[in-house]
């Protein structure tokens, strides 16, 4: 059974605090479900930014996209996330990953170990376990079942972990991946998760909406190949039809987009959110 569409924006920069809370309120007013904050040393600290966004809104969920588990203390992080869930009134989503390409550099800058690929996947699993435990034990938590856990990945090891433990799986494929390239990760997840697959919400992030190139990409790499699944062009109706077909064929129902495109993508949100 297809899940209802919902949409999130990914943002992590603002010129001042007032602009940041305005971004959160704008996302809520445009009908987005979630404001997701990346975890980099070049953006706002995610847990602080999420707390500020939550206190400025009433229904908007806040989440991480995604926390780099390799250089986090799992138990301390779980405690802080439980506190954030309390302050947001139960509007937290926890996004976790084994580290984006630049995460190793950030780990070194923080004086933290990064580990092998296998060790990093194990760290993601440890964080999930600690989060589940922290919420089950109560304390600051406002919901014993805990927040939805999103795991980002496309390789077999991360997809295997996601199949076992995630509520949401973000298909972390390269920007230029064609739509056919989504079928491989989805197929692995479906096979590994078995009957549990129908309970998992599938997500993907759009790198571009319309013809305006993403301003955060370096000069010379702002052109994403034609046919890439992470690019949507056309009228709002045409873009909505693409997402409807993608949900029918692949099950992707949770779509995120950088805050730069929040207004441009809003008509699609209005057409599909909750449907």
């Amino acid at each position: 059974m297809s899940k209802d569409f919902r949409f999130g924006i990914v943002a992590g920069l603002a010129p001042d605090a007032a602009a940041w809370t305005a971004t959160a309120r704008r996302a809520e007013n445009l009908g987005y479900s979630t404001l997701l904050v990346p975890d980099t040393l070049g953006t706002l600290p995610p847990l602080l930014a999420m707390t500020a966004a939550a206190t400025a809104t009433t229904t908007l969920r806040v989440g991480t996209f995604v926390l780099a588990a390799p250089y986090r203390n799992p138990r301390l992080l779980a405690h802080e996330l439980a506190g954030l869930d309390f302050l947001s009134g139960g509007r937290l989503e926890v996004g976790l990953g084994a580290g984006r390409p630049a995460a190793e550099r950030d780990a070194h800058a923080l004086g933290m170990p990064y580990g092998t690929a296998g060790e990093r996947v194990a760290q993601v699993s440890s964080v999930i376990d600690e989060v589940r435990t922290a919420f089950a034990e109560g304390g600051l938590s406002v919901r014993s079942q805990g927040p939805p856990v999103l795991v980002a990945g496309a390789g077999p090891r991360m997809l295997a972990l996601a199949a076992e433990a995630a509520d949401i799986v973000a298909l972390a494929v390269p920007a230029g991946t064609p739509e056919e390239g989504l079928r491989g990760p989805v197929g692995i997840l479906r096979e590994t998760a078995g009957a549990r697959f129908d309970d998992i919400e599938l997500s993907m992030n759009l790198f571009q909406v319309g013809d305006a190139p993403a301003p955060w990409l370096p000069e010379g790499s702002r052109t994403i190949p034609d046919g890439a699944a992470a690019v949507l062009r056309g009228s709002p109706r045409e873009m909505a039809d693409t997402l409807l077909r993608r949900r029918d064929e692949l099950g992707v129902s949770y779509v995120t987009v950088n805050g730069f495109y929040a207004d441009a993508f809003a008509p699609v949100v209005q057409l599909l959110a909750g449907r």
Side-chain angles (χ1 to χ4, degrees):
M1 182 179 295
S2 295
K3 292 179 171 56
D4 289 344
F5 277 108
R6 67 187 185 106
F7 299 90
I9 69 167
V10 181
L13 292 172
D16 53 46
W20 174 248
T21 54
T23 294
R25 288 191 292 269
R26 179 68 172 159
E28 185 174 65
N29 292 337
L30 289 173
Y32 288 91
S33 166
T34 318
L35 173 61
L36 300 163
V37 185
D39 184 17
T40 82
L41 294 184
T43 51
L44 291 169
L47 302 190
L48 296 177
M50 290 158 61
T51 304
T55 57
T57 56
T58 57
T59 61
L60 186 73
R61 298 184 186 188
V62 293
T64 49
F65 198 75
V66 292
L67 283 173
Y71 47 82
R72 302 279 180 174
N73 178 298
R75 189 160 297 178
L76 175 59
L77 178 59
H79 174 69
E80 292 176 340
L81 289 170
L84 202 163
D85 193 60
F86 172 82
L87 293 172
S88 69
R91 289 183 280 143
L92 173 66
E93 289 184 7
V94 179
L96 299 167
R100 71 194 197 289
E104 184 172 10
R105 182 182 61 206
D106 286 356
H108 290 161
L110 293 168
M112 300 293 289
Y114 191 62
T116 65
E119 289 169 339
R120 298 197 307 274
V121 172
Q123 189 81 345
V124 175
S125 179
S126 178
V127 171
I128 294 173
D129 290 344
E130 291 290 350
V131 168
R132 303 286 196 212
T133 299
F135 279 80
E137 291 176 349
L140 289 174
S141 171
V142 297
R143 46 180 174 169
S144 60
Q145 76 275 19
V149 172
L150 177 151
V151 170
R157 278 188 285 200
M158 282 300 290
L159 290 174
L161 173 60
E164 177 184 349
D167 302 294
I168 309 162
V169 177
L171 302 174
V173 296
T177 302
E179 189 154 325
E180 276 298 311
L182 302 178
R183 297 185 184 278
V186 172
I188 293 172
L189 183 65
R190 182 185 294 275
E191 181 178 353
T192 308
R196 190 175 178 275
F197 179 80
D198 290 338
D199 297 327
I200 296 172
E201 185 177 37
L202 286 184
S203 175
M204 73 169 295
N205 186 52
L206 299 178
F207 282 78
Q208 185 174 320
V209 174
D211 296 320
W216 62 90
L217 293 175
E219 289 288 346
S221 63
R222 292 187 177 178
T223 301
I224 300 174
D226 289 340
V231 177
L232 282 186
R233 293 189 175 94
S235 68
R237 183 68 262 170
E238 289 169 333
M239 289 190 279
D241 287 343
T242 296
L243 295 179
L244 281 164
R245 176 180 50 75
R246 193 171 289 170
R247 183 179 66 176
D248 289 344
E249 296 179 0
L250 299 171
V252 177
S253 60
Y254 183 14
V255 181
T256 61
V257 64
N258 187 274
F260 175 78
Y261 296 111
D263 288 295
F265 195 58
V268 181
V269 175
Q270 295 300 316
L271 286 170
L272 294 181
R275 296 171 174 82

